[in-house]
Amino acid sequence: MKLEDLYADIYARLSDNEELSALIGENRIFDYLPDESVPSPYIVIGDTNEVEGRLLNDDERKVFVRLHVWSSYAGRKETIDISREVEKILSQDTNLYIYESLQILHDDEQWVHGILVFRTYIEKG
C-alpha cells in the first residue's frame, strides 16, 4: 500500500460499516473539515505523519494517521462510542492498522473533539 491508497482504504472501511453509519449517519466521513452546515457527528480523516520504517533496506515507511471525531452532543459519550467503533473497524485486520491513542477535547462550548491515532506501515515512495 502506498500513502495515497491509505486514505482510500480508511474511507472505504469506515463508510462501508453499518454499525458506524448507525452512530454518525450516512455520508458523514470526510477528508477535509466540512463547513458549519454539516450536522454532527462526523469523522474527518486527518493528518498523517510518515517516518522511517522497520526494514534495514529502507523499503517501507511507518505512518501515523489521525482521525477526528466531531460531536456537538452535550458530553463525551457520543465521541467515545464513535471512537470505539472506529477502533473496532480498523483493528479487525490487526496487521494493518494498530491503535496508538485517543484524546478527547472540548474545542469550545459546542464541540467535543476526539482524536484517534493509528499506526501502519506502507511502501516507500
Side-chain angles (χ1 to χ4, degrees):
M1 181 180 306
K2 296 197 179 245
L3 187 58
E4 53 269 29
D5 303 324
L6 179 69
Y7 298 105
D9 183 66
I10 291 171
Y11 180 84
R13 287 172 186 261
L14 298 180
S15 64
D16 291 342
N17 186 278
E18 292 178 13
E19 289 83 8
L20 184 59
S21 292
L23 291 172
I24 65 173
E26 296 290 325
N27 303 315
R28 298 277 180 85
I29 300 168
F30 303 94
D31 66 351
Y32 59 89
L33 189 60
D35 65 44
E36 295 175 6
S37 67
V38 175
S40 84
Y42 54 84
I43 296 171
V44 175
I45 301 171
D47 306 329
T48 55
N49 181 28
E50 183 178 308
V51 297
E52 183 178 0
R54 304 166 292 191
L55 302 178
L56 293 176
N57 68 3
D58 201 34
D59 280 348
E60 76 172 7
R61 294 290 183 254
K62 180 171 29 177
V63 177
F64 296 93
V65 62
R66 288 168 191 79
L67 302 176
H68 301 267
V69 177
W70 293 94
S71 171
S72 59
Y73 176 83
R76 294 176 179 87
K77 182 179 180 349
E78 185 173 69
T79 301
I80 292 169
D81 290 347
I82 294 166
S83 297
R84 293 299 180 225
E85 187 62 33
V86 169
E87 179 184 355
K88 182 175 125 186
I89 294 164
L90 293 182
S91 296
Q92 287 174 351
D93 181 354
T94 57
N95 294 325
L96 190 54
Y97 299 105
I98 301 153
Y99 173 85
E100 286 282 326
S101 66
L102 170 62
Q103 182 178 20
I104 298 177
L105 312 164
H106 279 275
D107 275 2
D108 61 29
E109 66 277 350
Q110 179 185 352
W111 291 99
V112 177
H113 179 192
I115 305 168
L116 286 142
V117 178
F118 289 88
R119 171 177 29 108
T120 192
Y121 295 89
I122 63 170
E123 299 170 31
K124 177 184 174 181

